[in-house]
Amino acid sequence: MADLEGDKLQRLGLHDLHVEFGGKMVPFAGYEMPVQYAPGVMKEHLHTREAAGLFDVSHMGQVILRPKGSMAELASAFEALMPVDVLGLAEGRQRYGLLTNDTGGILDDLMFTNRGDHLYVVVNAACKAEDIAHMTARMPEVTVEQVTERALLALQGPGAEAALEAVLPGVSAMRFMDHRVFGDVWVSRSGYTGEDGFEISLPMAAAEGFARKLLAEPGVAPIGLGARDSLRLEAGLCLYGHDIDTTTSPIEAALTWAIQKSRRAGGAREGGFPGATRILRELAEGPERLRVGLAPEGRAPMREGVELFAPNDTPVGRVTSGGFGPSVTAPIAMGYVALAFATPGTRLAGEVRGKHLPLTVAELPFHPTSYKR
């Protein structure tokens, strides 16, 4: 997800607000993004776990899929792009999805919502141009519209419900993965921190006033990309371009839970998605490698790219995300290892500056989730 040298960075609609609050702006996915504010990543992370954090995720792609015929035809067309049940998603509900390629790799992970007469989709910032082109080419019976001039905010943490209810009455009745429309404000009860919270899409013209109202609520603080990354790592959530990409399958990525029974072997709509041969085979037989949690010993984090070895020094995998977990007060990581070494408790070593340092395969997530079911 690195930016290409020479590319002009885009600015978020709330850029000046981030600067006003002390945001340190850095390049990310083609945008200038706040990586942290004055308190720093550690305090911002813990604040989100204990109270409420407001994230600006307006760099993400917001897309509307409209049927040229019926909604059933739209759902079938979108379902043909991924191993996920679209036809069975109820109105007002959101689901995690995975666009796959013909070899079973992941083109992008996304969230999609049934809005009655259309689908609302949120895709990763670095993939949005390719995703929109892919969906447009593969679904001629669907109108694919990129949403512009709308901000996307995420309010996360145990204090999120009370803060948003004060600004937008009615949201407290929502449960995890519900989606509701409040006039021109679209709200889902979801996020990417492992905490209860909400994602809020609203017109850019109204975004600054709305953000200021939230930040004026008790316990709400602005949070940057640094803490967003450590929060999702503790929650065992993948970052596209790092933990998942066009070479990793959903099964290898330990995202089997995202493939509903209707799309599996023997299901009502078995297969029929790109890469189905590989994905259904790995579901039945197991993958050659698997994404796992990793707990390094000592205090030194193991970062992305660290090679992993069995006790006999045989290479068995690689770290894809790593850092320090403020809530668990220890270094944590995720990565891929050969299936024979993927059982929690397995002892491995990571090569850091020429030395093999011990670590253990760990259960995911590292920190319990607190979604409102």
Side-chain angles (χ1 to χ4, degrees):
M1 298 178 79
D3 299 295
L4 299 174
E5 286 188 23
D7 279 6
K8 182 174 175 57
L9 295 175
Q10 298 183 65
R11 283 194 167 180
L12 300 169
L14 296 179
H15 179 92
D16 291 346
L17 184 68
H18 297 307
V19 173
E20 177 187 329
F21 276 84
K24 179 183 177 184
M25 309 304 284
V26 301
F28 181 81
Y31 288 79
E32 287 186 69
M33 298 283 293
V35 66
Q36 65 180 66
Y37 297 85
V41 173
M42 179 87 71
K43 288 182 179 178
E44 290 173 31
H45 175 116
L46 295 173
H47 183 89
T48 305
R49 290 268 187 253
E50 295 161 5
L54 183 64
F55 303 78
D56 186 353
V57 289
S58 302
H59 62 308
M60 305 284 279
Q62 299 182 65
V63 182
I64 297 290
L65 305 181
R66 297 190 188 277
K68 295 178 181 176
S70 68
M71 271 299 285
E73 289 169 335
L74 164 57
S76 293
F78 197 40
E79 194 172 88
L81 301 187
M82 55 186 181
V84 177
D85 177 7
V86 181
L87 279 159
L89 183 64
E91 185 175 347
R93 293 287 289 166
Q94 177 177 258
R95 180 166 283 165
Y96 179 75
L98 298 156
L99 293 175
T100 51
N101 61 23
D102 292 336
T103 58
I106 300 170
L107 294 172
D108 198 10
D109 61 339
L110 52 85
M111 303 296 290
F112 66 98
T113 301
N114 181 349
R115 295 258 298 260
D117 61 356
H118 65 274
L119 297 177
Y120 168 60
V121 185
V122 178
V123 301
N124 281 303
C127 305
K128 61 187 173 185
E130 292 83 357
D131 288 353
I132 289 167
H134 177 73
M135 290 187 286
T136 301
R138 296 287 186 107
M139 298 191 296
E141 63 275 76
V142 174
T143 300
V144 181
E145 306 170 8
Q146 182 172 0
V147 177
T148 58
E149 299 307 316
R150 289 186 75 88
L152 188 63
L153 305 175
L155 184 66
Q156 300 283 287
E161 180 184 286
L164 189 55
E165 179 70 20
V167 176
L168 200 63
V171 296
S172 60
M174 298 172 66
R175 60 195 172 103
F176 184 55
M177 290 297 205
D178 274 353
H179 180 97
R180 284 189 61 185
V181 175
F182 298 82
D184 56 8
V185 180
W186 311 338
V187 181
S188 64
R189 193 154 197 163
S190 59
Y192 221 61
T193 61
E195 293 292 328
D196 180 28
F198 303 86
E199 291 185 324
I200 307 141
S201 172
L202 72 168
M204 189 60 72
E208 181 176 335
F210 196 91
R212 288 188 185 277
K213 285 181 181 179
L214 286 175
L215 291 167
E217 287 297 313
V220 180
I223 309 295
L225 279 175
R228 181 174 166 85
D229 190 52
S230 57
L231 288 159
R232 69 90 195 166
L233 179 55
E234 284 188 343
L237 300 171
C238 295
L239 179 61
Y240 192 83
H242 300 260
D243 306 297
I244 51 177
D245 59 27
T246 55
T247 68
T248 54
S249 77
I251 314 307
E252 290 179 324
L255 297 173
T256 304
W257 58 267
I259 304 176
Q260 289 74 33
K261 289 182 179 179
S262 61
R263 309 306 312 281
R264 300 188 186 198
R269 298 183 306 283
E270 170 187 341
F273 50 84
T277 301
R278 174 189 176 185
I279 291 169
L280 294 179
R281 184 186 71 245
E282 290 182 355
L283 267 172
E285 302 173 3
E288 293 184 3
R289 59 176 187 158
L290 190 68
R291 178 176 64 93
V292 297
L294 300 164
E297 294 183 12
R299 302 292 291 177
M302 292 191 186
R303 308 286 183 184
E304 179 178 0
V306 166
E307 297 293 331
L308 302 172
F309 295 86
N312 64 358
D313 290 343
T314 301
V316 295
R318 187 175 66 87
V319 172
T320 52
S321 284
F324 187 79
S327 302
V328 298
T329 64
I332 54 175
M334 295 191 300
Y336 286 83
V337 298
L339 194 60
F341 299 90
T343 305
T346 301
R347 302 271 294 169
L348 300 172
E351 187 172 75
V352 180
R353 291 186 290 275
K355 295 183 178 180
H356 282 204
L357 304 179
L359 74 161
T360 305
V361 175
E363 296 272 8
L364 291 173
F366 296 101
H367 186 273
T369 58
S370 60
Y371 308 126
K372 183 179 178 180
R373 300 291 183 180

